Amino acid sequence: MKVTIVDYNSGNISSVINSFEEVAKDKVNIEVTSDLEKIKTSDKLVLPGQGSFKSCVDALNKIDGLTETLNEFAINNKKPLLGICVGLQMFADVGYEETETNGLGWISGKVSKIDNQNGKFKLPHIGWNQINIVKKSKIFQNIENNSHMYFVHSYEFVPNDESVIVATTDYCSNIVCSVEKENIFGTQFHPEKSDKIGLKIIDNFINL
Amino acid sequence: MLKNRIIPCLDVKNGRVVKGINFVDLKDAGDPVEQAKIYSDGGADEICFLDITASNENRDTIYDVVKRTSKKCFVPLTVGGGIRSIEDINKLLNCGADKVSINTAAVKNSKVVLDSSKKFGSQCIVVAIDAKKKGDKWEVFTHGGRNNSGIDALEYAKKMEENGAGELLVTSMDRDGTQIGYDVELMNKIASKVNIPLIASGGVGNLDHLVDGIKLGNASAVLAASIFHYGKHSVKEAKEYLDSKGIPVRI
């Protein structure tokens, strides 16, 4: 099996690579690339993302044919894909960070700034927060409800269809922190930085 | 609920830990990677390395340390000390650091913060402020506390937030190394002034000081070095103590 981490200059992805390699050991082949052919022949994709929604979408679009290849992989061929942080946010139709920017449109909804109640809550939402699992998901297998995950973000994904929500976290309000739609999975938190419990989520994804 | 973080800090010089945990079962007590692993296994919410390597020829040692640590520790890793340019930041992030903390370079040229937060995202840019009390104000010091910039710490903190810093690491130079507790007045003043999280540093001598940093200093995270060294307190003990005082922590 080959799991590919899509390297599209979306910021620092070393930790994502390290965590996947740690979990995969020698059982699974982890590839890090933006090569379209290699992406197409992968069994699973990981779409990381750091920085702003706009900078990530711009970086995707900079690589000729990448968006189309991702569409083909996730939408047409329905192969498993995991989006992390802004990687998840880009599933949305539109994001409002910096300026209004279209996303991949895989899961209908928008990405907007967390309402921190006029400064009552600090932003970014940084640190360990508990997740409330609202729906069974394969990537949360053997993950206890209320587990702690590591978050760093100021924007949240608001899906139109609530049935895609797998988990939420409480910060200012209930923030969507994991979604699943058929073969598409996403976490707003960083499993690669969430210690053993985060690595378990990565393991679950690899073992799908 | 978001938890308050405990961040043990290790001083690293020429790739070796200067102080550190002195456990008998450590194969190499001077290896930062082994020490970081003990902290992360013990429940540290993040790990911080402060590179205090003085000579330029040995500066590359930190890259190797970061590379090896990031393959073993799966909690956020912050690296500070001697960061001067976007290129330095890029190198550290590529080695596996999750955040960098910028001190002197940010005072000299605040554009470094602006440019790096644009390029890498605010989430990985921590601005470290070394402040010393003067009258009823605090002034920002650089070069490891040796030079006074004369800049007002509160105004500087606000400016760094505007420039895109994701967090502030505030160290009281008056308290650093004294073990008499954080300057909670300074912490609280800055924390109230900015909307980004504040990490309190400098002066921790016992577990009550950690409580004060959060309750009185209004810090989102508390950083400490020496109380975790030589096994005086474990991270786990610290967390249990904070928990007993009603502070939300990840246990």
Side-chain angles (χ1 to χ4, degrees), chain A residues 114-117 121-123 169-175:
Chain A
I114 296 169
D115 176 9
N116 71 337
Q117 299 169 17
F121 291 84
K122 301 263 178 194
L123 282 184
T169 192
D170 182 18
Y171 194 68
C172 310
S173 62
N174 272 335
I175 289 173

Side-chain angles (χ1 to χ4, degrees), chain B residues 144-186:
Chain B
R146 288 190 299 276
N147 298 355
N148 185 0
S149 71
I151 298 168
D152 180 79
L154 266 73
E155 281 165 29
Y156 179 70
K158 191 71 197 161
K159 190 177 163 203
M160 289 302 111
E161 176 184 29
E162 285 160 8
N163 278 353
E167 285 174 282
L168 298 175
L169 168 56
V170 181
T171 304
S172 156
M173 299 310 297
D174 303 303
R175 299 299 179 93
D176 203 26
T178 63
Q179 306 210 0
I180 58 168
Y182 295 116
D183 183 343
V184 290
E185 195 190 349
L186 166 69

